[in-house]
Structures are given as C-alpha cells and as structure tokens.
C-alpha cells in the first residue's frame, strides 16, 4: 500500500460551506469499498458547500466512491485540507494507476491487430504491468446509421407519429450506447438515408 504523509488541518462546517467542487479535500478512506480507518483519500464535494442544507456533506473520492461526512462530529474522521502549517499530519492513500474502460474500434480488426495493440501497450508501460481484465470482442457491420431520440407516447390519446429528434449520424457500432437520452425519450437507430435537396436551381 503506497501512502504519503502530509501536513493538513481539519475544516469546520463553516469552512466547508465556503468550498467549491474544485477544491481538493482529504476524507477518510474508511469507506464501504476501502475500509482503511487510519488513511485519507483525495476527494471533491459533489456540490458547492454554499448549497449545504444541513446533515452530512457528500464528497466523491478520486476512486469514484461517494461518501457522506460530518465535519463537526468529533467521532467522525472529518474533512481535511492540505496546509504546510497545519497542526495535523495525515496519511494519504496514493493512486496505483488507472483502469481504462474504453470503447475501441479497430478497423478490420483481427487477432493480429489486437496482438499488436497489446504489445504496444506493454512496450509503453512494461510487460508485467499491462493486464487484460475483461475483453469483449464482436464483429461489426460496415453500415451508416442515423440515431434519433423519439418521444415515448403517453396515454391513449398519444399521437400516431411521435416527435423525433436526430441526435447523431455514425457508422455502426453507434455511439447510442454512450449517448444520454432525455427523460421520456428512447433511442431509435435507422439505416442512414442521405438528405436529398430537390430544390430547383437556376
């Protein structure tokens, strides 16, 4: 476990309410996932402190875990800010690296091209470092599609032709899996039809 000791000071509730979501904090690593009571982790408030309405403050750690904190509770680990002249020394858990969750499209991808891709990653970061935790491979057709979002009809008087907005135009596999569709709308994927402008010209 890689940690670093830093000088810090504990923040009062009033000080926390003056912080923004960009201020780097340190909160206890004794969370549901980590369970390290004597350690702290870097974190950021999920909403500005000025929006605090009582109860606990919610912060998101750099490891993407949301934690509730009670700054003024003496029995709680509290929230700290790095301070060279701070009265406390806290032990901060360091990051070992990042796990990439990527959607990679390899044109004409076959076993040879994937082997070359992994070899390049191992050459850049070390043969013993790059590990493949999960690999999902699937062939994809070469077809262009339009991605729409269509309003979900409600009630018996719903229109026969629901409202539709075009969100993207892409080559399959589409970005539909990664688009955030509006509430009450659903994704619709259709084979691309080029728009033909038949306006008479002079």
């Amino acid at each position: 476990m890689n940690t670093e000791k830093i000088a810090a000071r504990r923040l009062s509730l009033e000080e926390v309410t003056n912080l923004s979501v960009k201020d780097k904090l340190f909160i206890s690593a004794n969370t549901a996932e980590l369970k390290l009571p004597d350690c702290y982790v870097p974190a950021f408030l999920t909403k500005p402190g000025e929006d605090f309405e009582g109860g606990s403050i919610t912060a998101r750690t750099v490891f993407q875990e949301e934690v509730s904190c009670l700054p003024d509770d003496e029995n709680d680990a509290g929230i700290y800010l790095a301070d060279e002249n701070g009265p406390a020394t806290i032990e901060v858990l360091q990051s070992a690296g990042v796990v990439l969750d990527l959607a990679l499209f390899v044109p004409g991808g076959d076993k040879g091209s994937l082997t070359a891709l992994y070899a390049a990653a191992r050459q850049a970061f070390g043969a013993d470092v790059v590990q493949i935790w999960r690999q999902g491979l699937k062939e994809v057709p070469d077809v262009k599609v339009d991605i729409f979002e269509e309003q979900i009809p409600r009630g018996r008087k719903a229109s026969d032709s629901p409202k539709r907005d075009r969100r993207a135009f892409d080559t399959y596999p589409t970005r539909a899996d990664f688009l955030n569709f509006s509430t009450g709308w659903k994704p619709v994927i259709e084979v691309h039809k080029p728009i033909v402008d038949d306006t008479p010209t002079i």
Side-chain angles (χ1 to χ4, degrees), residues 96-98 100 102 117-131:
V98 296
L100 297 177
L102 299 176
L117 183 66
Y118 298 143
R122 290 190 174 103
Q123 186 175 357
F125 299 104
D128 297 331
V129 175
V130 176
Q131 301 174 34

Side-chain angles (χ1 to χ4, degrees), residues 102-191:
L102 299 176
L104 285 178
F105 172 58
V106 182
D110 55 20
K111 189 173 180 180
S113 59
L114 292 175
T115 301
L117 183 66
Y118 298 143
R122 290 190 174 103
Q123 186 175 357
F125 299 104
D128 297 331
V129 175
V130 176
Q131 301 174 34
I132 304 166
W133 293 95
R134 182 179 60 224
Q135 178 178 267
L137 302 176
K138 64 178 180 181
E139 297 274 345
V140 293
D142 183 12
V143 57
K144 289 182 171 60
V145 295
D146 289 316
I147 305 172
F148 299 92
E149 61 176 6
E150 191 174 87
Q151 206 163 28
I152 298 172
R154 296 187 176 185
R156 288 180 293 177
K157 295 183 180 180
S159 169
D160 290 336
S161 54
K163 187 176 176 184
R164 176 180 288 189
D165 285 338
R166 182 159 130 173
R167 289 294 305 273
F169 159 62
D170 206 348
T171 300
Y172 197 87
T174 71
R175 288 189 298 265
D177 292 340
F178 310 103
L179 288 172
N180 292 320
F181 288 90
S182 310
T183 303
W185 295 69
K186 63 180 180 179
V188 176
I189 299 174
E190 294 180 353
V191 173

